[in-house]
């Protein structure tokens, strides 16, 4: 009987994550904006699965509520996760180098999306 060699297979998932959250501290409100471009590499060796996440770009900004644009204020308080194609990922990576703040407000062409709303401070304090 011949030996069977385990074939190693890789799959890459391209991800764009962004979030907006409002904080209130000492009577002052601020907004935290977050955006990240990452790829998730999954390796299959036989029946074993190993996943590694590589972040290629990330940005976090805190903005005083009074200084925030109406567009930023109107954004939902949530975390959004998009699974995107490699081509869209590369375009977003280029945009991150030239106009990084624009990534907070865009919705890319995606294959899968997930949104998780944040609880408001009022609900957390109850």
């Amino acid at each position: 009987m011949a030996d069977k060699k385990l074939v190693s297979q890789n799959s890459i998932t391209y991800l764009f994550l962004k979030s907006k959250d409002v904080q209130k501290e000492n009577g002052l409100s601020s907004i935290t904006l977050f955006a990240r471009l990452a790829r998730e590499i999954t390796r299959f060796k036989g029946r074993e699965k190993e996943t590694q996440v590589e972040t290629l770009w990330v940005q976090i900004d805190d903005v005083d509520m009074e200084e925030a644009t109406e567009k930023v204020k109107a954004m939902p308080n949530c975390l959004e996760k998009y699974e995107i194609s490699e081509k869209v990922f590369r375009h977003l990576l280029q945009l991150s180098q030239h106009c990084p703040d624009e990534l907070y407000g865009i919705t890319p062409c995606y294959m899968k999306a997930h949104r998780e709303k944040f609880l408001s401070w009022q609900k957390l304090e109850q």
Side-chain angles (χ1 to χ4, degrees):
M1 189 169 175
D3 290 335
K4 291 183 180 179
K5 292 185 179 180
L6 294 177
V7 177
S8 178
Q9 296 180 342
N10 295 342
S11 73
I12 299 175
T13 303
Y14 296 92
L15 303 171
F16 173 56
L17 296 95
K18 65 178 185 169
S19 70
K20 174 200 164 202
D21 195 17
V22 177
Q23 297 84 33
K24 195 170 194 176
E25 189 174 323
N26 298 327
L28 300 174
S29 295
S30 66
I31 298 172
T32 300
L33 299 167
F34 169 82
R36 176 181 175 201
L37 289 165
R39 61 183 175 196
E40 186 177 87
I41 302 166
T42 303
R43 293 178 180 85
F44 297 93
K45 293 181 182 179
R47 294 184 182 175
E48 291 184 34
K49 177 181 170 182
E50 178 184 298
T51 303
Q52 176 185 3
V53 177
E54 293 180 346
T55 298
L56 279 81
W57 175 83
V58 67
Q59 180 167 310
I60 301 173
D61 287 317
D62 286 315
V63 181
D64 290 335
M65 185 66 78
E66 300 82 35
E67 296 176 12
T69 65
E70 291 303 315
K71 182 179 175 181
V72 168
K73 290 177 186 178
M75 290 169 50
N77 293 343
C78 65
L79 170 66
E80 296 173 81
K81 179 179 179 180
Y82 299 96
E83 184 177 318
I84 56 179
S85 70
E86 182 179 4
K87 185 176 182 178
V88 171
F89 183 84
R90 299 248 176 252
H91 285 295
L92 292 178
L93 200 54
Q94 285 180 333
L95 184 61
S96 74
Q97 304 307 311
H98 303 287
C99 310
D101 293 345
E102 294 300 316
L103 271 72
Y104 296 131
I106 66 168
T107 301
C109 181
Y110 60 87
M111 297 177 288
K112 291 182 186 177
H114 175 76
R115 177 184 278 186
E116 188 175 321
K117 290 187 176 184
F118 295 136
L119 291 176
S120 68
W121 283 101
Q122 295 83 5
K123 288 183 181 180
L124 288 174
E125 291 175 349
Q126 291 178 352

